[in-house]
Amino acid sequence: MRQLALAGDGLAAQRYARQLISGRVAASPSDIAYFSAIAVGTGRVWTLGPMIEAMHKLDPAQEPRARVRKYIKVLYPYAWAGNALALDALVAFNGEGRLFGPLSDATRDRILSEAQTQGDGRIELGLAMAILESERSKTTPDSSALDQARSYLATAEASGHLAVRTTAQNLLRLMENG
């Protein structure tokens, strides 16, 4: 079944991914993510959640570039089609030292455009947190990056989602006092 999946057979990939996820076959997070990506890429969306969960366990420096390209090829179209899980994954995996690498301006603009459609502030909060995480390790944080984070947090602060709004408010207070 693995060989059929490697050849691009989506049904075989789906069945093999199920075996990997269930533990019936010994698997690394990389194998779970990759074979799930093959399945998701052929329309078997139920494996998107396990794929992303496995991707969170990957070491960006160790994951083969061909597999990373597959994850990108699968996630981006789902995110641009309005899949919130895929969009959240793009935010999580794009950035310095992350699986997909630095976030391009075009990708950031597209993510923000999709986030406006969803309108709950989660994406802006995630982008702000990524900036803050990156800047906290620097001796001299980039003031324009911090301004961008404040802008994202202001959008998130206007959210109707209580957890998003409260987190944004608290982060803005910390930035003012820190």
Side-chain angles (χ1 to χ4, degrees):
M1 193 157 338
R2 180 182 173 99
Q3 292 306 316
L4 286 172
L6 287 170
D9 183 310
L11 182 57
Q14 178 186 33
R15 288 184 176 165
Y16 190 60
R18 282 183 180 163
Q19 290 177 347
L20 296 174
I21 293 164
S22 73
R24 290 190 304 248
V25 174
S28 67
S30 180
D31 282 347
I32 292 171
Y34 184 67
F35 288 101
S36 294
I38 294 170
V40 172
T42 60
R44 287 153 179 91
V45 183
W46 78 268
T47 55
L48 184 61
M51 176 186 133
I52 292 169
E53 184 179 319
M55 288 172 65
H56 280 291
K57 298 173 185 173
L58 301 176
D59 178 350
Q62 299 299 316
E63 189 65 9
R65 297 313 308 161
R67 287 188 173 200
V68 172
R69 282 190 299 276
K70 180 66 174 179
Y71 308 145
I72 289 170
K73 185 177 177 182
V74 168
L75 276 179
Y76 275 70
Y78 278 101
W80 301 158
N83 185 299
L85 186 59
L87 188 60
D88 288 345
L90 289 188
V91 173
F93 298 126
N94 273 288
E96 200 65 45
R98 295 182 182 189
L99 190 61
F100 292 172
L103 183 64
S104 72
D105 291 340
T107 300
R108 181 180 35 260
D109 292 346
R110 184 73 186 264
I111 287 171
L112 289 170
S113 173
E114 291 297 325
Q116 287 177 349
T117 303
Q118 295 179 18
D120 64 2
R122 288 178 308 115
I123 300 300
E124 292 86 353
L125 179 60
L127 290 169
M129 291 173 62
I131 291 170
L132 294 174
E133 182 181 329
S134 172
E135 294 302 313
R136 78 181 168 122
S137 63
K138 296 179 180 176
T139 323
T140 308
D142 179 356
S143 62
S144 65
L146 293 177
D147 288 343
Q148 184 65 62
R150 281 186 192 90
S151 173
Y152 292 150
L153 289 171
T155 300
E157 184 180 32
S159 170
H161 191 284
L162 180 62
V164 170
R165 184 175 60 243
T166 304
T167 303
Q169 290 169 343
N170 287 333
L171 287 171
L172 282 166
R173 280 191 204 107
L174 284 172
M175 289 179 77
E176 289 170 10
N177 299 327

